[in-house]
Amino acid sequence: MVTLGGGRKVPDRLDGRVVEIARATGVWGETKAFVGGTSIYPDLEEWPVAVVLSEVYRIEGEPHLNRDLGFADRDILTNAFDGVIRREKHIDALWRALADYNVEQRRDLLVLSGFVDPGKVVRVGSLYPKVAPGSLEGKEIWKKVKLRERDPRLRAAAIAENRSLNGGRIKCEACDFVDEASAVFDAHHLTPLAVGLRETRVDDLAVLCPICHRLAHLLAPDRLNPLTPSAVRDARLKRSILTAH
């Protein structure tokens, strides 16, 4: 989806601008099921139905429909919020106009607490799909396990890129630990696989040593929002200062 600045509540600086590209999950339902009871709900309750997004990308420069992209009018905004009117020619023209613009993934937007994308279209009522709680340990049972697929070529590419930037050796992006053996390092998904099915690129991965990789998940506010390398670096520094005192 493409987000456009329009409507009575949009800030003046975004009015008429193409702001972001977003990837939606299949989870949709009443808005209050996702943000009910939060501070943003009063601003969203006029839209009774919402969908959960998995990835959001900021468009470089937030181009204006008329001044930057050359649209003669802003008809594409008419009823764009509810899909009653879908102007295919306008939408195709918008994608063509955006083809040369760079995008950057927004890491500051956190996934809903505990949210899990079931990988299919699901309508929810008062609760959205969450991570299942743990169960009693120690009992021997048989399980059929479903794992999320990983592409080993992505890890190899991330390691190779890191090596090329560090004179033939590999450096942890959080603590600067250096070694020549690729097996010593992990490929850390900045957006975890549990969020749902999507394309993963090399720049979605960070190369970390095992300790920093574990801390990225251990110190995260939520299992679906692991720390970035810079946040791990800050956390390790803070912990070392506390230990020294």
Side-chain angles (χ1 to χ4, degrees):
M1 296 186 294
V2 178
T3 62
L4 306 173
R8 59 186 178 85
K9 291 186 177 182
V10 69
D12 290 340
R13 69 177 186 83
L14 296 180
D15 190 37
R17 293 188 174 274
V18 186
V19 184
E20 296 163 332
I21 296 175
R23 185 189 296 272
T25 70
V27 180
W28 68 282
E30 296 182 52
T31 302
K32 63 182 179 181
F34 309 125
V35 294
T38 68
S39 60
I40 64 174
Y41 181 62
D43 294 328
L44 300 175
E45 62 180 338
E46 65 179 286
W47 293 286
V49 176
V51 63
V52 179
L53 303 179
S54 61
E55 299 174 52
V56 179
Y57 297 83
R58 180 184 290 109
I59 300 174
E60 183 180 59
E62 297 168 343
H64 194 276
L65 283 170
N66 310 125
R67 296 192 296 271
D68 300 318
L69 300 182
F71 283 80
D73 52 45
R74 293 170 53 176
D75 285 353
I76 194 173
L77 288 172
T78 305
N79 289 332
F81 63 89
D82 58 15
V84 172
I85 299 177
R86 179 180 174 87
R87 295 177 169 84
E88 297 291 348
K89 291 183 179 180
H90 286 66
I91 294 172
D92 290 343
L94 178 60
W95 282 118
R96 289 195 299 272
L98 293 173
D100 294 329
Y101 280 82
N102 293 324
V103 297
E104 179 183 7
Q105 186 168 4
R106 293 193 58 177
R107 305 289 184 186
D108 57 319
L109 296 180
L110 300 181
V111 179
L112 290 170
S113 178
F115 173 78
V116 172
D117 182 2
K120 58 184 178 181
V121 177
V122 176
R123 180 179 180 179
V124 301
S126 57
L127 294 174
Y128 56 83
K130 291 188 176 184
V131 177
S135 58
L136 182 66
E137 292 183 320
K139 182 180 179 181
E140 293 186 353
I141 58 175
W142 288 98
K143 283 188 176 181
K144 179 185 288 187
V145 180
K146 180 170 66 175
L147 301 177
R148 291 193 179 273
E149 187 178 24
R150 299 169 184 266
D151 189 343
R153 294 173 299 179
L154 286 169
R155 177 188 180 278
I159 293 289
E161 181 174 303
N162 183 289
R163 191 190 295 275
S164 69
L165 294 173
N166 294 289
R169 305 180 75 190
I170 306 167
K171 179 186 287 187
C172 173
E173 295 180 30
C175 72
D176 294 335
F177 169 77
V178 177
D179 198 275
E180 295 181 357
S182 62
V184 176
F185 297 88
D186 297 335
H188 172 53
H189 286 76
L190 298 173
T191 302
L193 295 178
V195 168
L197 183 66
R198 83 288 185 166
E199 291 183 7
T200 302
R201 294 166 294 278
V202 174
D203 59 2
D204 292 324
L205 302 175
V207 176
L208 300 179
C209 69
I211 293 176
C212 287
H213 194 191
R214 178 162 292 189
L215 287 174
H217 294 280
L218 179 65
L219 303 180
D222 186 286
R223 66 170 288 191
L224 299 180
N225 296 290
L227 300 185
T228 62
S230 61
V232 173
R233 181 187 297 271
D234 292 343
R236 293 198 67 166
L237 178 61
K238 181 177 180 181
R239 290 163 78 90
S240 65
I241 291 174
L242 291 176
T243 303
H245 285 279

